[in-house]
Amino acid sequence: SRLLLDSVRHLHISPQPTDMAAYSLTPSQRHTLAAICDTFLPQLSGEQEQEMLRRRLGLDPEHLKAWCRSSASDLSVPAFIEGALAAGHLPTDSRQELEMVLNAMSTRLGMLLLCGTDTAFASLPHADRERCLMSLRDSRFATKRKIFQTLKAMTSVNAFSRNTSRSNPHNKGADKNSLWSVLDFEGPPSAEEARAEADARGREEFVYAMLNDSIERDTTLTVDAVIVGSGCGGSVVAAELAAAGQRVLVLEKARYFKRSEITGGEGDAYDSLYERGCLVATEDSGIAVLAGSAFGGGTAVNWACCLRTPSYVKEEWAGEHGLKAFTDGTFDASLDAVCSRIGVTSEGVAHSKNNELLAQACEKLGYPCDVAPQNMADVGPLAPGAHFIGSGGRVGLQQN
């Protein structure tokens, strides 16, 4: 830190350029992508719709009909996926890999190599398209399995995480999303409702002033320290240095959103608050990595679960790496200070039905079970906004 403070004094800053080349798929790639998405999420036949209506008694039949008749294209899924590619949500190598697959599936030769049939994917009957995708899913080649998982995830996430009540031609009216209604999902509260909840509980919003707004030409700033990243680590370091009298500049690559600019919808949150549009995954696409990319980093989308570093981890760091602060009480004191500042508690935490059943089962089987501490302003039953805390803090529940 001494090196940092001694070396960082003057920074020359230029406004960020805004001219970026437009990106788009080719017509054949777009046609094939739409066919793939509509295979994952097709419009059901009349017979299938009638069977669903017979089996799903108790649901609004008009919403259920809309569900049966809505394809991925009706929900603009292919367009959202192309938008994600244009926004750089996939790494360059993964995007190029996907483009190569779309090119291959647009041709007879490519399909022969990928799926063993000499017909372009979009020209196949629906049943054959399903068999082709399942052959990718079950392939002994990891690359083919990765292709399937990527396409399936991008289709399902974009279909169900967005409010398509006004864009889906089959939706019942414009007030409720028919797909959400069939799933008994109400969706996030309106902006007015979220603001009223925050006001009623006295959770005043602290509005930050961004330095970007005042920089219109090349500028030189004089500071003592530059912190890269405004998340859990960077924000603590910045606060401590500022409290010690240092001039601190925090750099954050993501945009700062006020409460009024957050919709609470998962799809919108993925686009604007998560790293690479929530498409970060392991190399084989087997595990998704939900990493925040916003002002505040992961704290902007955290689920309020505050777990202390396990003792065996601290002992390993101290024993194998000589970091004695993790076992001599220094690190624990820091954890205590952070937990106090952000209001961590395990008292009065309400549980979902799933968690209640899990806790009851652990008790009956004699397994150890404890409450995960949280730092929400309200941890009680049905706390307003708690269901959507991972989509941004609109009602001031997050104490970060």
Side-chain angles (χ1 to χ4, degrees):
S1 62
R2 185 68 260 169
L3 177 62
L4 173 68
L5 296 180
D6 284 343
S7 61
V8 179
R9 291 296 178 186
H10 303 284
L11 297 112
H12 187 72
I13 297 178
S14 298
Q16 184 176 355
T18 57
D19 54 328
M20 298 187 67
Y23 170 88
S24 66
L25 297 173
T26 66
S28 62
Q29 289 173 334
R30 192 175 293 123
H31 183 55
T32 299
L33 176 61
I36 292 172
C37 294
D38 287 341
T39 305
F40 280 118
L41 187 62
Q43 183 182 69
L44 301 186
S45 67
E47 293 79 8
Q48 291 172 319
E49 180 180 309
Q50 290 304 313
E51 178 62 20
M52 287 285 285
L53 290 170
R54 284 193 295 269
R55 291 169 53 190
R56 303 296 299 274
L57 298 176
L59 291 176
D60 185 316
E62 296 304 313
H63 283 311
L64 188 53
K65 288 178 184 178
W67 170 287
C68 295
R69 297 172 185 177
S70 299
S71 68
S73 290
D74 291 324
L75 305 172
S76 302
V77 169
F80 281 123
I81 293 177
E82 185 170 353
L85 298 177
H89 288 169
L90 280 183
T92 301
D93 59 339
S94 297
R95 175 178 57 78
Q96 292 174 341
E97 189 176 78
L98 179 58
E99 292 169 350
M100 183 177 64
V101 170
L102 293 176
N103 285 334
M105 297 179 78
S106 300
T107 66
R108 296 174 62 185
L109 177 59
M111 281 294 291
L112 189 62
L113 295 173
L114 269 178
C115 301
T117 181
D118 63 349
T119 304
F121 184 85
S123 299
L124 290 172
H126 181 80
D128 290 342
R129 281 190 273 156
E130 284 190 342
R131 280 191 286 271
C132 174
L133 291 179
M134 287 189 287
S135 73
L136 296 178
R137 180 196 65 186
D138 300 330
S139 173
R140 61 191 179 93
F141 297 106
T143 300
K144 288 187 175 183
R145 298 195 303 272
K146 177 182 177 181
I147 292 168
F148 174 86
Q149 293 295 341
T150 299
L151 291 168
K152 177 185 174 184
M154 295 181 78
T155 299
S156 57
V157 166
N158 282 287
F160 296 103
S161 66
R162 304 177 188 278
N163 187 354
T164 54
S165 59
R166 297 181 183 276
S167 59
N168 180 5
H170 305 290
N171 201 80
K172 177 191 173 183
D175 295 330
K176 286 188 176 183
N177 183 341
S178 291
L179 271 64
W180 288 355
S181 294
V182 171
L183 296 172
D184 195 24
F185 177 61
E186 295 182 0
S190 67
E192 294 75 16
E193 291 171 328
R195 185 167 56 251
E197 289 288 354
D199 291 345
R201 287 158 177 76
R203 297 175 192 153
E204 185 177 353
E205 178 179 14
F206 184 90
V207 178
Y208 290 85
M210 295 291 114
L211 190 61
N212 309 51
D213 298 333
S214 64
I215 297 178
E216 298 179 352
R217 58 184 60 87
D218 288 2
T219 303
T220 298
L221 303 175
T222 301
V223 298
D224 297 310
V226 174
I227 307 298
V228 181
S230 62
C232 301
S235 61
V236 172
V237 173
E240 291 297 307
L241 287 174
Q246 302 293 335
R247 293 165 295 181
V248 182
L249 176 67
V250 177
L251 303 181
E252 172 56 60
K253 68 175 182 178
R255 180 186 161 189
Y256 165 54
F257 288 91
K258 300 176 184 177
R259 289 180 187 172
S260 59
E261 297 175 298
I262 300 173
T263 68
E266 291 173 301
D268 293 334
Y270 296 159
D271 288 341
S272 57
L273 301 177
Y274 283 83
E275 183 70 22
R276 295 212 308 261
C278 216
L279 292 178
V280 182
T282 52
E283 185 65 28
D284 63 354
S285 298
I287 301 176
V289 181
L290 301 182
S293 180
F295 180 76
T299 70
V301 293
N302 81 91
W303 291 346
C305 183
C306 301
L307 300 177
R308 285 177 171 263
T309 309
S311 297
Y312 69 89
V313 174
K314 293 186 292 184
E315 291 168 1
E316 177 184 324
W317 290 346
E320 296 187 14
H321 305 287
L323 303 174
K324 302 304 181 184
F326 287 102
T327 54
D328 66 7
T330 303
F331 180 66
D332 289 336
S334 295
L335 282 183
D336 291 340
V338 171
C339 288
S340 175
R341 179 164 180 166
I342 64 176
V344 176
T345 182
S346 57
E347 300 296 327
V349 174
H351 300 292
S352 66
K353 188 62 178 177
N354 289 350
N355 285 350
E356 286 180 359
L357 291 173
L358 179 61
Q360 292 169 9
C362 288
E363 183 179 358
K364 289 182 179 180
L365 293 171
Y367 294 162
C369 182
D370 205 351
V371 176
Q374 299 181 11
N375 73 312
M376 291 195 299
D378 183 357
V379 297
L382 302 177
H387 294 97
F388 304 96
I389 197 170
S391 298
R394 303 170 74 208
V395 297
L397 272 179
Q398 295 165 316
Q399 303 184 108
N400 45 36

